[in-house]
């Protein structure tokens, strides 16, 4: 499954600038639904609720830096 998502991310990144690209991601258990408070009635993500529910996963993405979950090569010394 991760490989499928990686291919989709790579394809999406071809259409945007590096600044807009997805550089790291993680897959999480469960669904985003209105019932569990992660979606609005119009199916938009409730960012604060999602950030609270997945705070540990989000922190790991930022702490990991150039580790697993990166969509491209690690950054070199020049950025």
């Amino acid at each position: 499954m991760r490989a499928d998502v990686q291919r989709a991310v790579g394809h999406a990144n071809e259409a945007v600038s590096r600044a807009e690209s997805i550089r790291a991601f993680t897959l999480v258990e469960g669904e985003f639904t209105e019932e569990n408070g992660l979606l609005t009635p119009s199916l938009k993500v409730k960012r604060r609720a999602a950030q609270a529910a997945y705070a540990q996963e989000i922190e790991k993405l930022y702490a990991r830096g150039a580790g697993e979950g990166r969509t491209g090569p690690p950054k070199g010394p020049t950025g």
Side-chain angles (χ1 to χ4, degrees):
M1 176 183 247
R2 182 168 180 78
D4 291 335
V5 174
Q6 181 66 61
R7 278 190 293 280
V9 167
H11 180 71
N13 281 348
E14 291 174 5
V16 298
S17 70
R18 176 159 167 73
E20 298 172 308
S21 68
I22 299 168
R23 295 186 204 139
F25 67 90
T26 191
L27 302 178
V28 295
E29 295 284 330
E31 297 181 20
F32 282 49
T33 66
E34 194 176 347
E35 290 75 24
N36 68 15
L38 295 176
L39 293 180
T40 67
S42 61
L43 303 181
K44 295 176 185 171
V45 174
K46 290 184 176 180
R47 291 179 187 250
R48 287 186 185 157
Q51 286 173 332
Y54 297 104
Q56 289 181 334
E57 290 85 350
I58 294 167
E59 183 61 34
K60 286 178 188 175
L61 281 174
Y62 285 98
R64 187 164 43 213
E68 177 189 345
R70 300 289 298 183
T71 61
K75 289 184 178 181
T78 59

